[in-house]
Amino acid sequence: PQNIPLDVVYEDNDLIVINKPKGMVVHPAPGNPDGTLVNALLYHCAGQLSGIGGAIRPGIVHRIDKGTSGLLVMAKNDAAHQALSAQFSVHSIHRVYHAIVYGNLKEDEGFVETCLGRDPRDRKKMAVVPQEASGARYAYTGWRVLERFGNFTYIACKLKTGRTHQIRVHMAYIGHPVLGDPVYCPDARRAARFGLSGQCLHAKYIEFTHPATGERLHFTAEPPAYFRRVTDALRGL
């Protein structure tokens, strides 16, 4: 446990919804032994977290990347964890991300539907792979244009699935990678121009059924300051 400030959006005896800041890792891993969201949650919740994820991932039902900001729901007990995981597996948890991508998307809305798996040329990356490839998993990302900036587009992405790096891989696959993405579009010059460190991607909205009460809950977190700085700069072009 570490006394790290958290932006708590909602909390009760069964779950907690956090607005994770950009730059925070969700759970300890090689290179990030502490200072993670799990360390902060263990302190904040006084150890009251689901044990299904083990000692390294207590309470963790889903994750977002270190360089992505936004909403996450965590389970405080095993029953809540199992119920939330079941909702993820049948895609009844609704999530919307906001992103700024390169290029001007031709249509106002569309979707990307592929299989994703480990990149055979770089195991640290994900990639679009054939359905029959080892480890291939179905992935669907719907997108909608919110604002156009000429060489950049502000979009909302609605996930049906939640694969590792899904939005980042899918948008790069269709030729519109996320601005500032250091893995799938390493364009340090343009990222530096906007003062970015990592991808311009924010988990803005989440909706799910409360595991104990059955109530349908929904939460929104507005894009943080770094994201607004980019949109403001683009509107000024």
Side-chain angles (χ1 to χ4, degrees), residues 139-206:
Y140 180 104
T141 304
W143 56 264
R144 177 171 57 88
V145 171
L146 299 177
E147 196 169 351
R148 298 181 184 275
F149 303 113
N151 293 327
F152 300 91
T153 309
Y154 185 3
I155 63 171
C157 293
K158 187 172 183 179
L159 297 185
K160 184 183 290 185
T161 55
R163 310 307 181 200
T164 301
H165 298 176
Q166 178 175 315
I167 293 173
R168 298 164 63 189
V169 175
H170 269 171
M171 296 314 297
Y173 176 69
I174 64 171
H176 297 280
V178 178
L179 174 62
D181 191 327
V183 176
Y184 301 101
C185 184
D187 188 345
R189 180 179 59 82
R190 281 190 171 176
R193 169 190 171 192
F194 293 106
L196 279 175
S197 174
Q199 60 273 8
C200 204
L201 183 61
H202 174 68
K204 182 176 181 180
Y205 178 84
I206 190 166

Side-chain angles (χ1 to χ4, degrees), residues 67-131:
T68 301
S69 56
L71 295 171
L72 285 165
V73 56
M74 313 291 177
K76 286 190 170 185
N77 54 64
D78 289 358
H81 194 133
Q82 291 168 340
L84 290 167
S85 294
Q87 292 181 57
F88 274 106
S89 67
V90 299
H91 314 309
S92 64
I93 290 186
H94 298 164
R95 287 171 292 162
V96 176
Y97 288 66
H98 279 197
I100 297 174
V101 299
Y102 286 94
N104 193 347
L105 288 151
K106 293 181 180 179
E107 308 295 334
D108 288 334
E109 59 183 84
F111 65 90
V112 189
E113 188 175 30
T114 70
C115 286
L116 297 182
R118 290 288 171 186
D119 189 329
R121 296 164 298 182
D122 184 348
R123 302 297 293 176
K124 294 181 181 180
K125 297 172 63 175
M126 305 300 290
V128 171
V129 298
Q131 185 176 353

Side-chain angles (χ1 to χ4, degrees), residues 8 10-17 41 44-52 58-61 73-82 84 211:
V8 178
Y10 174 84
E11 183 177 10
D12 61 24
N13 291 330
D14 297 293
L15 57 89
I16 182 169
V17 178
L41 284 170
H44 178 86
C45 299
Q48 185 188 350
L49 292 169
S50 159
I52 290 177
I60 303 301
V61 182
V73 56
M74 313 291 177
K76 286 190 170 185
N77 54 64
D78 289 358
H81 194 133
Q82 291 168 340
L84 290 167

